[in-house]
Amino acid sequence: MPIMLNDRLIELNSAITISQLFDHLKLNASGIAIAINQIIIPREDWNHHYINHQDKILLFQAIAGG
């Protein structure tokens, strides 16, 4: 199942949740925000929000500002 992750093509073997994607990529989710198809997904939804075929995913570092 192809997805785009930060403009890079990634192939997944099966449907996974956002939390499982972080585990699969061995990424620490601390301080990271995620948008799928230009929609920010709240952290509390990561355990049950599944990534779909050809989703466009952006990971970015959350930065405090003022």
Side-chain angles (χ1 to χ4, degrees):
M1 173 175 80
I3 62 167
M4 291 298 289
L5 177 64
N6 290 353
D7 295 324
R8 194 175 89 214
L9 182 64
I10 302 258
E11 189 71 35
L12 299 175
N13 293 331
S14 62
I16 59 175
T17 65
I18 294 170
S19 294
Q20 290 169 330
L21 177 66
F22 278 94
D23 291 341
H24 175 76
L25 298 173
K26 296 175 178 52
L27 292 176
N28 181 352
S30 179
I32 294 201
I34 186 167
I36 298 179
N37 303 321
Q38 300 182 344
I39 298 170
I40 300 288
I41 309 299
R43 187 174 296 267
E44 58 267 14
D45 294 341
W46 288 9
N47 287 328
H48 60 268
H49 186 105
Y50 277 86
I51 295 169
N52 296 305
H53 181 79
Q54 295 187 337
D55 274 348
K56 292 183 175 92
I57 300 170
L58 292 175
L59 301 178
F60 48 96
Q61 194 72 31
I63 299 172

